[in-house]
Amino acid sequence: MSNAIQSVMHETRVFQPPKALVDTATISGLDAYRTLCKAIDDDFDGFWSKQATEQLEWLKPFTRVLDESDAPFYKWFDDGQLNVSANCLDKHVAAGKGEKTALIFESDDAKVTHVSYAELLTRVCRFANGIKALGYKKGDRAIIYMPMSVEAVVAMQACARLGITHSVVFGGFSAKSLQERIVDVGATLVITADEQVRGGKTIPLKPAVEDAFKMGGCDAVKKTIVYRRTGGKVNWDEARDVWMHDVEANQADTCEPVAVDAEHPLFILYTSGSTGKPKGVQHASAGYLLWALLTVKWTFDAKDSDVYWCTADVGWITGHTYITYGPLAAGLTQVVFEGVPTYPNASRFWEMIDRHKVTTFYTAPTAIRSLVKAADTNPDTHPKHFDLSSLRILGTVGEPINPEAWMWYYKEVGRERCPIVDTWWQTETGGHMITPLPGATPMKPGSCTLPLPGIAAAIVDEAGGDVEQGNGGFLVVKRPWPGMIRNIWGDPERFKSSYFPPELKGYYLAGDGAQRDSDGYFWIMGRIDDVLNVSGHRLGTMEVESALVSHELVAEAAVVGRPDDTTGEAVVAFVVLKGARPEGDEALAIAKTLRDWVGREIGPIAKPKDIRFGDNLPKTRSGKIMRRLLRVVAKGEEVTQDISTLENPAILEQLAKPI
Ligand code: WTA
């Protein structure tokens, strides 16, 4: 890890924010940024009180700002009441913006649908009325397992309108992962689609829901609402299943937004941690929405005339905050895309930016890296063939961006006119935390630069003491912020121990290592726990290990990450079978079986790229697997570390060879 850090910290190029942006930005220039930071420091409660009052519409005003009495279970604005969907939709319609386009949906096969704010509000109301008619109400929990679609946004917003807590499961997760989430969250409603369409292929969704039900524990689910995307064949349980269009049919066009407490859980989103069991990250209503809205305004310098496009899926936090909630609360026009960047070819993103005159483009470094490669092999897909002059601001999220990819994005996509906001944040933080501001912060390729106003990010040692500048340490946040995680669903003890360990003085522990340079810029060094980042998706090594050892052939498995040019990190699995160590074709066949198995247990994103078989795993005399050695071996490097404590040194040689 340390080599990688040093090379990024050696990056000395600095790119100033373009003058045109500085002149018009909400936060204009570094001095304005610093003034805002200081204003918050000077009057923390006053600042947040003013923001919450001005930015949100309340059904019952709050009188308390931050309640720290039960820390780390912080509460924000907790005696106030509001409705999140009313803040995203009704507010704009009431302000005369009903005709403005809210969503520009582009399907996999490039059919485009425009949905205005007034139309979106009507659809949300009709669907919410339909859900209500089925007997659902505030406090219920719904699983949403849907493709990228207008309907997914409608489903999330309709839940928010009724105070139903949603838990979206990414459509790429397996039936098993879905079942675990249905059970853990205690869902009584599942909203899904018949199939999803990506890259010209259809992938079944409803059948996965049926498989999840068959696995048991889902009896609390009374209804499954199905959006008909393709008309593909599905099994039908007359008592339980109902089409989304039938739920909406004959419903009134208006639906009174239900008042919820500020701290009412808006959603629970599962993410990987350092154990085998994903954590249900619980977010509140008011604080989360405020942070989603403010960060859209600050980081993307949102303007009424923008055409904004975030390429994430609503199954991830980025899709929650920067598709379903933030941009709508800000009243933006946004593109919602069903497909993948490489279909029908790798110029799809550039074509779409051109077609929809996108001003603000937000994507993942993995996508950029794969499009760089594609443009090298097929020059026709290079962004230079497209009119990208509408672009104003570029953004990245989810993983570190290497300086080469940053430069390509900056030059070839942004034509050296557009700042890149490299946004560091997490499922748990609700929204951006450390990022350049497009009209204020000089950029260094590979650094997420400076914390947003109000975010007390710092780097500390094991005892919570500040590390000296230039040294690495744990990335923490010293003070609460409105968008922060409120709990782990059903596991408050794990919430406290994972994020607020006692030795760290009550700071929020992000789980990333970081360094600061002489300008105070943050450089993220990667996870300090057993969490991998594959194509910007979080994955626990223990999750993959549990999946592998649940296969009948496997006795033991250890999973590590290896740097990968395209996906950032790749999964490497070291496996000991119950039978003899396989070789040759047999090893290849078993590796394929295990890869498919992991795909079915978790989802295709978790499939190990490389599987190696050993007679054993490298262990200390006390039986502990030495993962740091496996990381070296996975990279194909020579083991130079001290291996004197290793029980079985010869095993390293066996594991060094890919099959
Ligand atoms: C990593 C995604 C470097 C980090 C929003 C974090 C990043 C994890 C960046 C959260 C960035 C996210 N630079 N690393 N700009 N953004 N990460 O919960 O390790 O899916 O802890 O949230 O992604 O992943 P999550």
Side-chain angles (χ1 to χ4, degrees):
M1 195 159 71
S2 58
N3 290 341
I5 309 145
Q6 270 158 15
S7 63
V8 285
M9 288 270 295
H10 281 155
E11 175 63 58
T12 50
R13 286 170 289 190
V14 179
F15 296 85
Q16 296 300 325
K19 183 166 182 312
L21 252 148
V22 179
D23 288 347
T24 54
T26 313
I27 303 179
S28 165
L30 265 188
D31 286 346
Y33 160 77
R34 292 208 178 96
T35 307
L36 187 56
C37 294
K38 182 161 185 313
I40 304 176
D41 269 355
D42 290 349
D43 182 12
F44 191 78
D45 276 21
F47 175 82
W48 289 119
S49 171
K50 182 165 179 284
Q51 292 299 330
T53 309
E54 288 177 1
Q55 305 282 346
L56 302 180
E57 288 187 354
W58 294 85
L59 294 166
K60 176 177 169 248
F62 61 92
T63 63
R64 289 192 292 265
V65 178
L66 171 63
D67 177 357
E68 304 188 81
S69 59
D70 190 23
F73 299 95
Y74 296 102
K75 297 192 189 83
W76 286 86
F77 321 115
D78 77 313
D79 59 346
Q81 289 194 326
L82 83 177
N83 181 276
V84 169
S85 128
N87 272 277
C88 294
L89 303 170
D90 309 46
K91 183 175 85 179
H92 308 305
V93 175
K97 279 173 51 177
E99 296 311 308
K100 181 174 179 178
T101 300
L103 308 178
I104 303 172
F105 176 71
E106 181 162 323
S107 68
D108 193 61
D109 60 354
K111 288 201 184 65
V112 176
T113 318
H114 286 244
V115 183
S116 70
Y117 271 91
E119 286 163 346
L120 187 58
L121 173 60
T122 305
R123 283 217 56 192
V124 168
C125 286
R126 293 171 70 93
F127 190 48
N129 284 329
I131 300 179
K132 206 159 53 172
L134 292 173
Y136 291 100
K137 55 177 191 321
K138 175 161 95 180
D140 291 339
R141 286 171 305 284
I143 287 275
I144 297 180
Y145 185 62
M146 293 179 87
M148 282 301 289
S149 51
V150 172
E151 285 68 19
V153 176
V154 167
M156 292 166 81
Q157 286 282 348
C159 286
R161 196 162 191 89
L162 299 176
I164 295 171
T165 301
H166 61 66
S167 185
V168 183
V169 178
F170 173 57
F173 275 124
S174 66
K176 175 91 184 308
S177 298
L178 178 64
Q179 183 257 2
E180 285 166 1
R181 286 156 175 76
I182 293 172
V183 173
D184 194 80
V185 89
T188 53
L189 171 64
V190 172
I191 308 174
T192 187
D194 49 1
E195 297 180 314
Q196 58 179 328
V197 187
R198 284 165 68 81
K201 296 195 198 80
T202 53
I203 307 153
L205 283 176
K206 171 121 187 342
V209 176
E210 287 156 20
D211 288 346
F213 288 164
K214 280 188 213 130
M215 291 171 192
C218 304
D219 292 347
V221 177
K222 295 294 170 248
K223 290 285 170 197
T224 304
I225 301 178
V226 188
Y227 158 50
R228 181 140 69 198
R229 168 61 186 90
T230 62
K233 198 179 145 14
V234 288
N235 294 323
W236 207 253
D237 175 337
E238 288 298 336
R240 191 194 58 211
D241 300 340
V242 43
W243 290 109
M244 186 169 184
H245 54 259
D246 288 336
V247 173
E248 289 171 85
N250 306 321
Q251 293 296 341
D253 286 348
T254 57
C255 170
E256 196 60 30
V258 173
V260 301
D261 291 342
E263 285 295 312
H264 180 74
L266 176 63
F267 65 86
I268 295 157
L269 183 60
Y270 285 82
T271 191
S272 297
S274 47
T275 73
K277 190 172 176 280
K279 308 183 267 201
V281 172
Q282 180 184 325
H283 277 287
S285 294
Y288 168 80
L289 185 66
L290 176 62
W291 194 233
L293 173 55
L294 267 185
T295 51
V296 165
K297 289 188 172 178
W298 287 347
T299 310
F300 297 125
D301 188 44
K303 298 273 189 272
D304 203 35
S305 53
D306 277 337
V307 177
Y308 162 100
W309 181 18
C310 165
T311 68
D313 191 286
V314 289
W316 309 109
I317 190 67
T318 308
H320 283 60
T321 309
Y322 297 108
I323 295 177
T324 303
Y325 293 112
L328 291 181
L332 295 183
T333 294
Q334 70 174 317
V335 175
V336 172
F337 178 41
E338 180 181 48
V340 298
T342 47
Y343 179 82
N345 59 54
S347 60
R348 183 69 183 263
F349 277 0
W350 323 133
E351 263 169 51
M352 284 180 64
I353 291 171
D354 190 351
R355 177 154 52 239
H356 303 299
K357 301 293 163 231
V358 171
T359 59
T360 313
F361 181 65
Y362 191 35
T363 195
T366 293
I368 299 166
R369 286 192 296 265
S370 72
L371 297 178
V372 173
K373 271 197 189 160
D376 281 348
T377 38
N378 177 4
D380 288 348
T381 67
H382 195 283
K384 71 179 173 207
H385 302 301
F386 300 87
D387 177 5
L388 306 182
S389 58
S390 56
L391 285 171
R392 228 164 56 81
I393 294 169
L394 301 173
T396 66
V397 55
E399 47 177 333
I401 180 161
N402 47 310
E404 299 71 35
W406 195 100
M407 286 308 305
W408 189 88
Y409 198 28
Y410 187 68
K411 282 195 172 151
E412 309 297 340
V413 181
R415 316 264 155 97
E416 302 184 48
R417 291 183 302 104
C418 307
I420 298 179
V421 291
D422 173 353
T423 60
W424 177 86
W425 61 295
Q426 310 177 289
T427 305
E428 293 86 343
T429 67
H432 302 153
M433 299 293 278
I434 310 181
T435 172
L437 292 170
T441 319
M443 294 157 282
K444 299 183 191 181
S447 168
C448 52
T449 76
L450 300 170
L452 283 174
I455 299 305
I459 299 171
V460 300
D461 58 25
E462 293 82 3
D466 288 315
V467 301
E468 266 181 53
Q469 184 197 77
N471 285 351
F474 303 125
L475 179 55
V476 297
V477 186
K478 291 186 171 180
R479 249 181 142 168
W481 67 101
M484 71 195 299
I485 176 176
R486 296 306 199 267
N487 207 341
I488 292 178
W489 183 254
D491 203 346
E493 283 310 314
R494 192 172 172 200
F495 168 73
K496 282 198 279 189
S497 60
S498 306
Y499 300 116
F500 299 92
E503 61 278 16
L504 288 188
K505 304 183 178 169
Y507 301 157
Y508 167 80
L509 175 66
D512 279 341
Q515 267 181 308
R516 277 182 106 158
D517 67 17
S518 51
D519 292 322
Y521 277 34
F522 284 76
W523 298 81
I524 305 295
M525 292 151 59
R527 300 287 305 190
I528 53 168
D529 52 13
D530 295 320
V531 171
L532 304 183
N533 194 323
V534 181
S535 301
H537 301 322
R538 251 166 92 164
L539 203 59
T541 52
M542 298 267 285
E543 270 174 83
V544 186
E545 286 169 12
S546 314
L548 283 168
V549 297
S550 71
H551 191 278
E552 57 182 7
L553 292 176
V554 177
E556 211 178 0
V559 166
V560 299
R562 173 178 73 200
D564 184 280
D565 281 350
T566 308
T567 58
E569 269 186 303
V571 177
V572 182
F574 297 91
V575 175
V576 181
L577 296 184
K578 287 177 185 155
R581 184 170 71 93
E583 289 189 78
D585 286 350
E586 195 198 357
L588 288 172
I590 297 179
K592 178 170 186 318
T593 305
L594 294 181
R595 226 173 262 133
D596 291 345
W597 173 262
V598 172
R600 274 198 303 276
E601 287 287 292
I602 304 174
I605 52 170
K607 285 185 180 183
K609 181 159 184 185
D610 186 351
I611 295 187
R612 310 217 182 150
F613 297 102
D615 293 321
N616 207 331
L617 296 173
K619 289 183 187 158
T620 60
R621 282 171 223 284
S622 60
K624 214 170 148 283
I625 297 173
M626 296 187 75
R627 283 164 201 285
R628 71 184 162 81
L629 295 182
L630 287 176
R631 278 193 277 271
V632 176
V633 170
K635 276 196 270 190
E637 288 174 3
E638 199 76 34
V639 175
T640 51
Q641 286 96 331
D642 176 17
I643 52 168
S644 56
T645 55
L646 197 61
E647 166 86 28
N648 47 354
I651 207 73
L652 289 178
E653 210 172 309
Q654 196 175 67
L655 295 171
K657 289 193 254 358
I659 52 170

